Amino acid sequence: MRYLGLLMLLTLASLLTYGQQSVVIYYNGTVVAHLNNVSTFHVIGDNITDLRVIGSKFNLTGGYLFFYNTSRVTVIYVASFPKGVIQGTEPYNVTFNVIVPGTYTFAYIYPPPTSLETRGNLYNLTLQGSSLEVLYSTSSQSSSGFGKEDLIILVVVLVTDAVVGFFLYEYFRSRRRPVTEQVNQNQQMSQAQASQTVEEDEKEEEAELTTQELNDRDIMVLESFKRGARTLSDAVRDTGLPKSTVYRRIKKLVKLGYLVERREGGKIWYEVSQPPPDKPT
């Protein structure tokens, strides 16, 4: 009857995590694993006995079970654990259910439990992760461990921290949104102003190009050719002006007769007009 009750308890605990990888570890060494779509299982515990695998043929090598069928495999066995220690690792995330008597006190639990249930005189710790380590003592009077009430407080604190963290995240995100919107508006305004300035400069420069008078930039470009510049690139290097500005100035100087455009073999260069045209009055 005691063994039948144990199996019923293990089956009930495993139903909580049906549809994912779950491992139930009982304090007396019994282990029940429900696996879905995985090809391996790292055996938890030592000195494995009464091994049964339901749902697939298997091969046990180096502490790993290798399955031929990877869908809905159940593994049941009895193992031994060091006194006061339950630990194990898997190559994937697992829901661990650790079932121990309510008289036990805990010294260390990793990862932090996601839930704690009491069934009769038993604790059912639920942990999520690829590994677990539970250190406990069978003495309920141990001053270094913590009992049921402390464990409940730990779970409540973890849940409270998660809720508070979520609300803090939403609060600061809502505070940051208006700032982000203001920054985007400022950027859009700056871009619009910059675009307007460029358009105004281009209109002003086009107006200057239609006149016959030479301004400072016209004279800079003309002087660069007098000093020996022959091409557009030469004039850009010599004057330091933008290439588009120099190009337009050259076209104006050619139009007004101050420069002569030469072409040969696909190459273009410019020479100072000899003699230079009369300055317009």
Side-chain angles (χ1 to χ4, degrees):
M1 289 295 294
R2 182 180 179 183
Y3 184 70
L4 179 61
L6 172 62
L7 288 181
M8 291 178 63
L9 180 61
L10 294 173
T11 302
L12 180 61
S14 64
L15 287 176
L16 296 174
T17 54
Y18 181 77
Q20 59 182 332
Q21 323 312 328
S22 65
V23 179
V24 183
I25 304 173
Y26 198 63
Y27 72 99
N28 68 353
T30 301
V31 178
V32 179
H34 291 279
L35 309 171
N36 294 279
N37 300 319
V38 296
S39 58
T40 61
F41 173 71
H42 187 203
V43 177
I44 299 173
D46 302 317
N47 304 321
I48 307 303
T49 59
D50 298 333
L51 174 62
R52 287 177 291 164
V53 177
I54 302 172
S56 175
K57 293 182 179 180
F58 67 94
N59 180 26
L60 177 60
T61 304
Y64 282 86
L65 284 171
F66 297 91
F67 307 115
Y68 294 92
N69 176 27
T70 61
S71 62
R72 295 193 179 181
V73 178
T74 300
V75 179
I76 305 173
Y77 62 90
V78 178
S80 62
F81 293 92
K83 185 176 180 180
V85 178
I86 296 177
Q87 59 182 3
T89 60
E90 295 300 332
Y92 37 75
N93 285 330
V94 177
T95 298
F96 294 102
N97 289 98
V98 180
I99 300 176
V100 296
T103 57
Y104 283 17
T105 55
F106 299 94
Y108 178 74
I109 302 174
Y110 179 83
T114 58
S115 67
L116 168 66
E117 297 181 9
T118 303
R119 294 176 182 164
N121 64 341
L122 295 176
Y123 287 155
N124 179 12
L125 288 174
T126 301
L127 308 93
Q128 298 277 352
S130 59
S131 64
L132 85 158
E133 184 174 5
V134 177
L135 306 182
Y136 62 90
S137 171
T138 58
S139 172
S140 60
Q141 303 299 323
S142 173
S143 60
S144 61
F146 53 92
K148 175 182 176 180
E149 293 79 6
D150 299 316
L151 194 57
I152 293 175
I153 293 174
L154 173 62
V155 173
V156 171
V157 169
L158 291 173
V159 173
T160 303
D161 287 346
V163 173
V164 172
F166 172 77
F167 282 108
L168 287 175
Y169 168 77
E170 289 296 326
Y171 171 74
F172 285 110
R173 190 178 67 169
S174 63
R175 290 279 305 271
R176 187 169 60 249
R177 187 180 297 115
V179 176
T180 303
E181 293 176 353
Q182 183 63 40
V183 171
N184 292 336
Q185 292 176 359
N186 292 340
Q187 290 178 346
Q188 293 175 357
M189 292 179 60
S190 298
Q191 292 175 356
Q193 292 174 353
S195 177
Q196 182 179 1
T197 301
V198 171
E199 291 178 357
E200 292 175 353
D201 290 344
E202 289 180 350
K203 290 180 179 179
E204 181 180 351
E205 188 163 311
E206 289 177 359
E208 292 178 354
L209 293 176
T210 59
T211 66
Q212 294 186 352
E213 297 181 358
L214 300 184
N215 59 22
D216 293 341
R217 283 175 287 186
D218 297 330
I219 295 173
M220 286 179 62
V221 173
L222 179 59
E223 291 297 325
S224 71
F225 283 97
K226 290 182 178 181
R227 289 192 295 270
R230 289 176 54 82
T231 64
L232 171 63
S233 298
D234 293 340
V236 170
R237 285 194 298 268
D238 186 57
T239 61
L241 295 174
K243 185 175 182 179
S244 58
T245 299
V246 175
Y247 176 78
R248 287 192 290 266
R249 300 299 162 181
I250 290 176
K251 291 301 181 181
K252 178 180 178 180
L253 293 171
V254 170
K255 180 180 179 180
L256 296 178
Y258 287 91
L259 294 178
V260 178
E261 182 178 288
R262 306 293 187 186
R263 295 174 179 265
E264 183 178 345
K267 296 181 179 180
I268 301 175
W269 71 92
Y270 303 91
E271 296 177 352
V272 177
S273 176
Q274 300 292 338
D278 296 334
K279 293 183 179 180
T281 57

